[in-house]
């Protein structure tokens, strides 16, 4: 694990995090990975996200590294007072609870900024202010509302994306807001409230399809039923039931693919003369290519496609990524000691800064592990002699 925090870009920035599940914790983790001191406030007994079963079992370990854990009962008067004082010693406050809860607790932006004008306060919600703002939202809810499920599934069968895309990206936009607000505070000396929301995030993902409609007047069909701009841009079934995505998106790449498959005769066919002609007969071309590719092994063909510069991809499952050679050799997976003393590997932020990958600096915190460290320094101010 890396131990040197002083040379990270957000060193010296202190963040107080009131979050659970994925969206808010993602924002906090990004800031923590970049060097901020992130203090995660957990209720007595710990964040319930730690104990989620099924598809939620990996949430806490995936989105809470490099943080400190403090236990505070913010439903009590004493806990709220302590939380407010701690917020005053921080640069940033993060929260992602139901609309109105932080106001009920007196820990909302309007209340805190009256005492602490420097504070940057990030609310992660389902919706930005407007007619929907009081609704509760989940990733799946906004995927249905925001066009993503419609575009992902076949006609008549809306399908959510296979991961928490809006929760994760919503946390990313929250972090972007923090970075911008810190920069603005350098000029003004004042903090501000930043809001990030699931629905608006999902609409941003659908923006290209909205623009397509506004430009053409034609409703865009779901992706499985789309009219492709390229003739060869599909998943093919290969020998032994293996699958491979192949994309030949130019006339030059199509010619190269034909040479890789030793089928240069296809290039002489008038209906395949260029991409526009091939798109016009795309079902015929895909059927013909499918019959050819069914005799090829995926591992052998992949080597030829890579050497030829043709875009391709195996259909990889998450469990296969654990041993992906690029991820492991490039440092994209890093060891982390967990809260139960065991070790796991975690996926790092997908960026390099100055040739370095922001990594794991500290073990995943146990519930309340840093309560005495953090609140001990606060007590003289809460109880002056």
């Amino acid at each position: 694990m890396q131990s040197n925090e002083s040379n990270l870009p957000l060193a010296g920035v202190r963040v107080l995090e009131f979050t659970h599940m994925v969206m808010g914790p993602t924002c906090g983790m990004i800031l923590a990975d970049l060097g901020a001191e992130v203090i995660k406030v957990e209720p007595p007994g710990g964040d319930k996200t730690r104990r989620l079963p099924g598809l939620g079992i990996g949430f806490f370990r995936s989105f809470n590294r490099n943080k400190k854990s403090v236990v505070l009962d913010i439903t009590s008067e004493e806990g709220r007072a302590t939380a407010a004082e701690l917020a005053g010693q921080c640069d940033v406050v993060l929260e992602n609870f139901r609309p109105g809860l932080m106001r009920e607790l007196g820990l909302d932006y309007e209340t805190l900024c009256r005492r602490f004008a420097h504070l940057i306060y990030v609310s992660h919600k389902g919706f930005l202010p407007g007619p929907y703002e009081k609704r509760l939202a989940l990733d799946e809810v906004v995927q249905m509302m925001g066009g993503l499920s419609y575009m992902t599934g076949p006609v008549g069968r809306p399908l959510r994306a296979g991961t928490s895309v809006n929760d994760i990206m919503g946390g990313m936009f929250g972090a972007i807001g923090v970075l911008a607000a810190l920069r603005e505070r350098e000029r003004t000396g004042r903090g501000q409230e930043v809001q990030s929301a699931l629905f608006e995030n999902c609409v941003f993902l659908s923006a290209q399809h909205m623009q397509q409609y506004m430009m053409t007047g034609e409703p865009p069909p779901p992706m499985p039923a789309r009219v492709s701009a390229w003739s060869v841009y599909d998943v093919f079934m290969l020998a032994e039931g293996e699958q491979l995505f192949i994309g030949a998106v130019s006339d030059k790449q199509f010619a190269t693919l034909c040479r890789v498959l030793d089928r240069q005769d296809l290039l002489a066919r008038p209906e395949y003369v260029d991409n526009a002609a091939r798109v016009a007969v795309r079902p015929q071309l895909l059927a013909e290519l499918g019959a050819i590719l069914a005799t090829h092994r995926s591992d052998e063909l992949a080597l030829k496609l890579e050497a030829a510069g043709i875009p391709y991809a195996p259909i990889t499952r998450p469990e296969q990524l654990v041993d992906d050679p690029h991820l492991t050799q490039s440092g994209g997976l890093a060891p982390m000691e967990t809260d139960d003393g065991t070790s796991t590997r975690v996926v790092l932020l997908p960026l390099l800064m100055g040739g370095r990958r922001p990594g794991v600096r500290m073990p995943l915190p146990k519930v309340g592990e840093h309560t005495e460290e953090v609140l001990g320094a606060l007590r003289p101010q809460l109880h002056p002699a």
Side-chain angles (χ1 to χ4, degrees), residues 238-239 242-244 296-303 305 312-314:
L238 275 61
E242 298 172 306
Q243 291 180 300
L244 198 70
H296 290 261
R297 284 180 50 86
S298 177
D299 53 353
E300 296 172 352
L301 181 59
L303 292 174
L305 293 173
Y312 76 95

Side-chain angles (χ1 to χ4, degrees), residues 50 66 69 183 237 299:
R50 290 179 181 266
N66 290 330
S69 171
R183 185 73 177 92
M237 187 69 71
D299 53 353

Side-chain angles (χ1 to χ4, degrees), residues 11-12 47 161 236 340:
D47 183 347
F236 295 92
D340 63 9

Side-chain angles (χ1 to χ4, degrees), residues 91-93 95 100 102-103 107-111 113 116-125 128-129 133 174 177-178 181 184 190-196:
D91 299 284
V92 181
V93 170
E95 66 93 6
M102 296 301 274
R103 179 175 292 109
L107 296 171
D108 58 304
Y109 175 68
E110 289 183 2
T111 301
C113 77
F116 312 116
H118 71 282
L119 202 59
I120 295 164
Y121 191 103
V122 188
S123 292
H124 299 83
K125 301 300 180 191
L128 293 180
E133 66 181 293
V178 168
E184 188 167 336
R190 295 188 61 84
Q192 61 182 285
E193 184 176 17
V194 174
Q195 298 181 55
S196 176

Side-chain angles (χ1 to χ4, degrees), residues 21-351:
M21 298 295 281
V22 175
M23 190 184 188
T26 297
C27 179
M29 184 193 71
I30 293 169
L31 301 176
D33 279 9
L34 295 176
E37 178 191 10
V38 177
I39 301 165
K40 182 179 182 69
V41 174
E42 301 191 57
D47 183 347
K48 291 181 181 178
T49 310
R50 290 179 181 266
R51 301 181 294 278
L52 286 177
L55 290 174
I57 195 171
F59 285 178
F60 194 86
R61 289 186 179 184
S62 295
F63 305 112
N64 287 284
R65 64 171 172 261
N66 290 330
K67 300 178 184 179
K68 296 179 179 179
S69 171
V70 167
V71 168
L72 267 181
D73 182 3
I74 59 174
T75 65
S76 72
E77 186 175 347
E78 181 182 3
R80 290 193 295 273
T82 301
E85 290 299 323
L86 188 53
Q89 292 196 353
C90 293
D91 299 284
V92 181
V93 170
L94 312 176
E95 66 93 6
N96 73 329
F97 292 119
R98 66 171 172 80
L101 177 60
M102 296 301 274
R103 179 175 292 109
E104 294 169 16
L105 298 173
L107 296 171
D108 58 304
Y109 175 68
E110 289 183 2
T111 301
L112 292 177
C113 77
R114 286 196 288 267
R115 296 177 60 190
F116 312 116
H118 71 282
L119 202 59
I120 295 164
Y121 191 103
V122 188
S123 292
H124 299 83
K125 301 300 180 191
F127 306 89
L128 293 180
Y132 302 158
E133 66 181 293
K134 295 188 184 303
R135 291 190 191 180
L136 294 178
L138 303 168
D139 205 306
E140 197 144 345
V141 167
V142 300
Q143 287 194 36
M144 299 294 170
M145 293 180 66
L148 183 59
S149 295
Y150 174 82
M151 291 303 296
T152 302
V155 175
R157 291 172 53 196
L159 183 66
R160 71 155 283 165
T163 189
S164 305
V165 288
N166 293 293
D167 279 315
I168 294 168
M169 286 189 65
M172 291 169 58
F173 279 113
I176 292 169
V178 168
L179 300 179
L182 285 169
R183 185 73 177 92
E184 188 167 336
R185 194 179 69 178
E186 292 177 4
R187 298 196 304 270
T188 67
R190 295 188 61 84
Q192 61 182 285
E193 184 176 17
V194 174
Q195 298 181 55
S196 176
L198 295 173
F199 175 66
E200 282 76 6
N201 182 88
C202 195
V203 172
F204 190 74
L205 290 172
S206 297
Q208 67 195 73
H209 305 305
M210 296 166 64
Q211 192 61 227
Q212 177 184 347
Y213 168 71
M214 288 186 280
M215 292 175 70
T216 66
E218 296 290 331
M223 293 298 279
R226 70 195 183 280
V227 177
S228 177
W230 301 286
S231 56
V232 182
Y233 200 78
D234 216 323
V235 177
F236 295 92
M237 187 69 71
L238 275 61
E240 301 177 10
E242 298 172 306
Q243 291 180 300
L244 198 70
F245 170 83
I246 301 173
V249 297
S250 68
D251 293 337
K252 181 179 179 181
Q253 287 184 350
F254 179 72
T256 301
L257 176 63
C258 291
R259 287 194 293 272
V260 167
L261 299 176
D262 197 22
R263 289 299 305 268
Q264 290 92 327
D265 60 292
L266 296 178
L267 298 174
R269 302 263 290 273
E271 65 267 39
Y272 298 158
V273 65
D274 59 25
N275 183 67
R278 292 191 296 274
V279 169
V281 293
R282 190 168 185 265
Q284 170 192 311
L285 173 61
L286 293 183
E288 194 161 2
L289 285 176
I292 297 168
L293 289 164
T295 63
H296 290 261
R297 284 180 50 86
S298 177
D299 53 353
E300 296 172 352
L301 181 59
L303 292 174
K304 295 178 182 178
L305 293 173
E306 184 158 353
I310 298 294
Y312 76 95
I315 312 305
T316 304
R317 301 186 302 272
E319 66 268 23
Q320 294 173 309
L321 290 171
V322 172
D323 297 309
D324 182 88
H326 179 83
L327 285 177
T328 53
Q329 293 177 38
S330 67
L333 289 169
M336 180 184 73
E337 184 181 331
T338 70
D339 49 344
D340 63 9
T342 61
S343 181
T344 188
R345 286 182 293 160
V346 291
V347 178
L348 298 183
L349 296 185
L351 57 85

